[in-house]
């Protein structure tokens, strides 16, 4: 079974970093002592969060051994990394900031997960989360469609894993309601479209290989996964056209809230 690939994920580092800066702009300055970056990936952005917020103690949590091995390069005073499952992570009201960029969608039941993350916040603590909301896009729908074809479908037990964004991500107003119900005193929830311009349509496959397609890579043997990628690329070019460059709009939900002091 394959793990996440930090190298593949970093191929679009600049584009993937854009929402983190928008999310950090929502975090209010002030004394941030203890913080956590849930689903921290290869760790570069955990350091950005530490530097921008001035957090004195931030732990990046991830469940991918490859991502954690890569993150180890970024360990320094006040920045550490730990293995953990963000779907069950919580703590006892002792964090000033719970931060999660592009990771919450990999878990189900966001009301329960966000309730656990909120329980980890101290009075006045801040929650800042970004999730993709792009399940309707042709590239994502098509990946599911090709995964349901043979021989891939049978190789994945007749039940290819669904797109986590389609399965798990809520509407922006549902997150707003959740933050209200969880007792956040102030909040900011918005849907933002990131206008990425990729060198060509084919680069969409490279983009998704770093994220959404990893769920198939984990279940298919390497030669079948290579075959899947080629079939998916062919189907994508047929569906959306072979463009150079290719405009790839990407919808994301940004949510931020602060608890009363
Ligand atoms: C798209 S990457 C985002 C990485 C980083 N936050 C960033 O903004 O670049 C998603 C990360 O979430 C991690 N992840 C997925 N499911 C997880 C889980 N249940 N528990 C912990 N980490 C998880 C993956 O290993 C991966 O590193």
């Amino acid at each position: 079974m394959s793990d996440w690939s930090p190298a593949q994920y970093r191929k679009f580092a600049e584009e993937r970093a854009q929402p983190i800066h928008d999310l950090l702009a929502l975090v209010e300055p002030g004394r941030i002592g203890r913080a956590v970056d849930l689903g921290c990936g290869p760790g570069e952005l955990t350091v950005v969060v530490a530097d921008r917020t001035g957090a004195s103690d931030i732990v990046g949590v991830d469940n991918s051994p490859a991502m954690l091995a890569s993150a180890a390069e970024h360990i320094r005073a006040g920045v550490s990394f730990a293995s953990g499952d963000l779907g069950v992570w919580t703590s006892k009201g002792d964090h000033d900031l719970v931060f999660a960029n592009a990771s919450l969608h990999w878990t189900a039941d966001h009301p329960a997960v966000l309730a656990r993350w909120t329980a980890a916040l101290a009075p006045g603590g801040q929650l800042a989360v970004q999730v993709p909301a792009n399940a309707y896009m042709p590239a994502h729908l098509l990946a599911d469609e090709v995964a349901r074809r043979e021989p891939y479908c049978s190789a994945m037990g007749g039940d290819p894993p669904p797109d986590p964004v389609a399965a798990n991500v809520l509407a922006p107003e549902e997150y707003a309601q959740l933050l209200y119900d969880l007792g956040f005193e102030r909040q900011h929830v918005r849907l933002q479209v990131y206008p990425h311009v990729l060198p060509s349509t084919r680069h969409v496959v490279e983009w998704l290989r770093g994220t959404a397609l990893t769920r198939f890579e984990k279940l298919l043997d390497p030669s079948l996964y290579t075959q899947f990628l080629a079939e998916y690329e062919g189907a994508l070019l047929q569906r959306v056209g072979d463009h150079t460059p290719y405009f790839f709009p990407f919808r994301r939900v940004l949510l931020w809230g602060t608890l009363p002091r």
Side-chain angles (χ1 to χ4, degrees):
M1 181 174 120
S2 283
D3 189 10
W4 283 72
S5 160
Q8 187 68 34
Y9 184 70
R10 281 195 187 101
K11 280 189 184 166
F12 298 94
E14 205 179 303
E15 288 86 352
R16 292 199 202 282
Q18 288 170 16
I20 232 176
H21 296 294
D22 294 332
L23 195 56
L24 279 167
L26 295 174
V27 175
E28 291 186 343
R31 205 199 69 80
I32 294 187
R34 197 157 184 209
V36 66
D37 179 15
L38 295 168
C40 61
E44 286 101 350
L45 296 176
T46 309
V47 172
V48 172
V49 177
D51 291 344
R52 281 278 299 274
T53 64
S56 55
D57 172 15
I58 187 166
V59 180
V61 173
D62 208 286
N63 67 355
S64 156
M67 287 296 201
L68 287 170
S70 187
E73 291 165 30
H74 301 289
I75 294 171
R76 66 175 204 210
V79 178
S80 60
F81 297 91
S83 180
D85 180 352
L86 59 87
V88 297
W89 183 89
T90 192
S91 188
K92 286 205 171 88
D94 49 4
H95 283 67
D96 300 308
L97 175 66
V98 171
F99 192 91
N101 187 60
S103 55
L104 173 63
H105 58 294
W106 289 101
T107 64
D109 196 357
H110 289 186
V113 174
L114 290 179
R116 282 191 284 274
W117 293 6
T118 303
L121 288 172
Q126 302 183 60
L127 176 73
V129 177
Q130 181 272 117
V131 271
N134 53 356
Y136 70 96
M137 287 182 65
H140 289 77
L141 295 173
L142 199 55
D144 276 347
E145 199 180 305
V146 176
R148 284 194 298 270
R149 293 182 193 164
E150 294 300 350
Y152 318 112
C153 187
S154 295
M156 292 188 275
D159 190 18
D163 181 345
V165 174
N168 301 329
V169 172
L170 305 177
E173 63 277 15
E174 291 175 300
Y175 287 116
Q177 179 74 50
L178 264 177
L179 293 189
Y180 176 78
D181 293 344
L182 289 168
F184 285 88
E185 185 175 59
R186 285 177 295 120
Q187 62 163 272
H188 179 112
V189 178
R190 72 170 186 256
L191 184 69
Q192 184 159 343
V193 180
Y194 288 85
H196 300 312
V197 179
L198 303 186
S200 75
T201 309
R202 286 168 211 275
H203 285 76
V204 172
V205 181
E206 284 304 300
W207 178 296
L208 293 191
R209 278 183 63 194
T211 52
L213 301 182
T214 55
R215 69 189 192 275
F216 304 132
E217 187 178 11
K218 284 176 180 162
L219 298 175
L220 297 174
D221 72 46
S223 67
L224 199 53
Y225 183 58
T226 304
Q227 186 184 322
F228 168 84
L229 289 176
E231 189 167 334
Y232 170 59
E233 183 178 282
L236 184 68
L237 293 176
Q238 213 172 16
R239 181 78 48 97
V240 306
D242 190 357
H243 302 286
T244 47
Y246 179 64
F247 182 62
F248 187 52
F250 207 102
R251 241 163 58 140
R252 298 177 183 274
V253 179
L254 282 73
L255 51 124
W256 169 87
T258 184
L259 289 177
R261 288 219 166 263

